[in-house]
Amino acid sequence: MSTSSTRLPEGRYGRSSDQRADRTLKVVGGVLAVLFTALIGWFGYHYVAQNEISAELIRFETGQDAVKVHLEVHKDAGVVGYCTVRSQAPDGAEVGRADFRFDGDATRIDQVVTLRTTSPGTSAELIGCHAE
């Protein structure tokens, strides 16, 4: 008794459609991977290289109608920008938000700013800094 084979003879009919589909998927996947890597690199460069002002919240002191916030700001010389700070109540409601402007030629500014609040705030959060 002989067993019949369902495979086509090798090299007789060209490549199968599965092999062509595999090659197409590999090419498309490679192109998409290169584009994705380039996009991530572009966003990373603009985030790091184009950020001209940054700050760090050192500490804060709460009060009945204000929160004193100690900020350390780093910026390029001559850049004008602002940092946004907010305060929240114990229940999470925002009780104060303000923009504090930083200008001049100094590259490092160590300053205590006062954020006015509508009710006693229990926290201070640096939202972000932006150059103008």
Side-chain angles (χ1 to χ4, degrees), residues 1-5:
M1 198 164 270
S2 72
T3 307
S4 66
S5 173

Side-chain angles (χ1 to χ4, degrees), residues 4-20:
S4 66
S5 173
T6 58
R7 291 187 59 184
L8 298 174
E10 296 241 359
R12 186 166 185 180
Y13 299 104
R15 295 189 325 189
S16 72
S17 62
D18 288 343
Q19 289 174 333
R20 282 189 294 265

Side-chain angles (χ1 to χ4, degrees), residues 18-131:
D18 288 343
Q19 289 174 333
R20 282 189 294 265
D22 287 348
R23 184 172 192 281
T24 303
L25 285 175
K26 286 178 185 177
V27 169
V28 169
V31 168
L32 288 176
V34 167
L35 288 175
F36 182 72
T37 303
L39 184 67
I40 294 298
W42 185 78
F43 280 125
Y45 169 76
H46 282 283
Y47 179 75
V48 172
Q50 301 297 323
N51 194 5
E52 298 171 335
I53 184 169
S54 64
E56 182 180 356
L57 191 145
I58 304 299
R59 64 184 178 91
F60 64 91
E61 186 179 313
T62 61
Q64 286 295 345
D65 60 351
V67 175
K68 292 185 185 230
V69 181
H70 182 187
L71 292 176
E72 183 177 305
V73 179
H74 297 276
K75 65 181 190 65
D76 294 341
V79 171
V80 175
Y82 62 94
C83 294
T84 304
V85 179
R86 79 172 179 173
S87 180
Q88 292 178 309
D91 64 356
E94 185 174 280
V95 294
R97 178 186 288 248
D99 294 332
F100 298 100
R101 187 175 170 89
F102 300 98
D103 52 10
D105 289 331
T107 58
R108 182 182 173 277
I109 301 169
D110 198 11
Q111 186 173 354
V112 176
V113 295
T114 302
L115 173 64
R116 308 283 299 170
T117 59
T118 57
S119 64
T122 58
S123 68
E125 179 182 5
L126 177 63
I127 301 296
C129 296
H130 305 281

